[in-house]
Amino acid sequence: MSWDEAVMPKLTSNAGGMRSSARHGERAPGAAVTAYERRGAWVVAAHGSYDACSIAPLAHALDAAARKYPKVVLDASGVDFGDSALLNLLILTHQAGNLRVAAPPEQLQRLFEMTGVDTVLEIHETVDAAAVS
């Protein structure tokens, strides 16, 4: 199953017959993604809330990074909320490459612990710690 087949079908909503309008390079409502190089790693910084309707820009950024860079760090410090769509994305990215998660806020830490994802993902307190490990 390709990345898009695994992630993209989950990006629709039946609420009011509307579909998510987020496409590669566009900002989803309530979410933003930036990327930069840090200490030999490619850092994708996520800001805002991530669910099935807002995950597309982050999915595209992590997919592109995992395909191109040997070490990818998700700076999760700016994430206000994440649900199963974010968990699914992180697991898929981890399977596709060398993903590290940096500075997850308390809500994500609890989600990782409750689902056992904290035993699968490499989680660090800071971007610098994730980049050099």
Side-chain angles (χ1 to χ4, degrees):
M1 179 181 289
S2 77
W3 180 273
D4 286 338
E5 291 170 336
V7 176
M8 297 310 286
K10 298 176 182 169
L11 299 179
T12 59
S13 170
N14 291 332
M18 302 290 290
R19 291 184 65 133
S20 172
S21 62
R23 301 259 188 245
H24 182 58
E26 291 182 11
R27 183 174 173 183
V33 178
T34 57
Y36 58 93
E37 189 276 331
R38 178 68 173 220
R39 305 184 87 174
W42 190 251
V43 178
V44 176
H47 305 278
S49 298
Y50 292 93
D51 59 18
C53 294
S54 61
I55 199 79
L58 181 58
H60 288 291
L62 287 174
D63 178 42
R67 291 175 193 256
K68 186 172 181 180
Y69 300 96
K71 190 186 304 183
V72 177
V73 175
L74 172 64
D75 178 356
S77 63
V79 175
D80 299 323
F81 172 80
D83 66 6
S84 61
L86 179 60
L87 281 179
N88 184 51
L89 174 61
L90 296 181
I91 292 167
L92 289 171
T93 305
H94 168 72
Q95 291 172 342
N98 189 357
L99 175 69
R100 291 107 190 273
V101 179
E106 188 175 330
Q107 186 264 327
L108 284 185
Q109 289 178 19
R110 282 194 316 266
L111 185 62
F112 294 164
E113 290 170 7
M114 289 178 2
T115 59
V117 170
D118 61 333
T119 64
V120 175
L121 297 177
E122 194 174 322
I123 302 171
H124 298 272
E125 289 186 23
T126 66
V127 170
D128 283 338
V132 297
S133 71

